[in-house]
Amino acid sequence: MAIGEHWRSSVVTKDLMCGKLSMELLRQYTVAYSSCLNTLALDVAAALLDLDCSRAKLPIWLTEILMGQNRPDNHGLFGNRSSGKDIDSSTVADPAGLARVYIKRGLYVEACDVMSFTLSRQGLNAVSSRLPEKGNIDYVPYQTIDM
């Protein structure tokens, strides 16, 4: 038990440790088994939001996975993912999917943050690397925000 937590009952401390271990296990499985070929990361995000009626925020690690913050290659917010020989199965980033999950649950501020981050990140890349033919589209479709 950590210093300053001696007042807590052993049941609360045990439940806290169980929760931390469960979240770490969820993180490990999500990172290991998510790919562009499945929607595991989005499903985990939706399930976590539904657990607390969308009052809790998503874990930072899950948001970073879905936003593609740890990846140097940058795709447009609503552009199609690449397909064919050059498909990268380790690319899990789907900011458009994350924005749709937030919008579906009425979390419009979080959805705007996703869109703002992705659109502002587009300015960091050279214009030649942001070709629409590669799926790098710098706009938000009206039908996505008009739900």
Side-chain angles (χ1 to χ4, degrees):
M1 214 178 306
I3 297 174
E5 292 187 9
H6 64 307
W7 58 272
R8 292 185 185 196
S9 70
S10 62
V11 174
V12 171
T13 306
K14 182 180 176 186
D15 290 343
L16 184 66
M17 184 60 77
C18 184
K20 286 181 179 180
L21 291 173
S22 297
M23 187 58 75
E24 178 59 24
L25 186 62
L26 180 64
R27 185 192 70 77
Q28 289 178 3
Y29 279 131
T30 304
V31 169
Y33 294 108
S34 293
S35 75
C36 67
L37 304 175
N38 63 40
T39 61
L40 177 63
L42 277 177
D43 294 339
V44 168
L48 287 175
L49 288 172
D50 289 342
L51 284 176
D52 197 23
C53 298
S54 301
R55 289 181 290 192
K57 293 197 175 271
L58 292 178
I60 294 171
W61 59 266
L62 185 56
T63 305
E64 287 177 350
I65 289 172
L66 289 169
M67 296 290 292
Q69 291 179 346
N70 297 331
R71 297 195 52 88
D73 55 342
N74 195 0
H75 299 289
L77 180 60
F78 291 92
N80 295 329
R81 293 183 182 179
S82 60
S83 59
K85 294 180 190 176
D86 62 340
I87 192 167
D88 181 7
S89 62
S90 67
T91 302
V92 183
D94 189 3
L98 181 59
R100 284 190 283 277
V101 166
Y102 280 144
I103 290 170
K104 183 177 180 183
R105 285 155 182 80
L107 300 170
Y108 301 112
V109 172
E110 288 83 355
C112 287
D113 289 343
V114 169
M115 293 177 198
S116 297
F117 174 80
T118 305
L119 292 174
S120 66
R121 187 174 67 171
Q122 293 295 334
L124 298 176
N125 287 342
V127 175
S128 62
S129 67
R130 294 178 27 238
L131 298 173
E133 294 83 12
K134 292 184 179 180
N136 296 319
I137 302 169
D138 293 343
Y139 80 102
V140 178
Y142 184 75
Q143 64 270 20
T144 299
I145 58 174
D146 186 38
M147 295 185 125

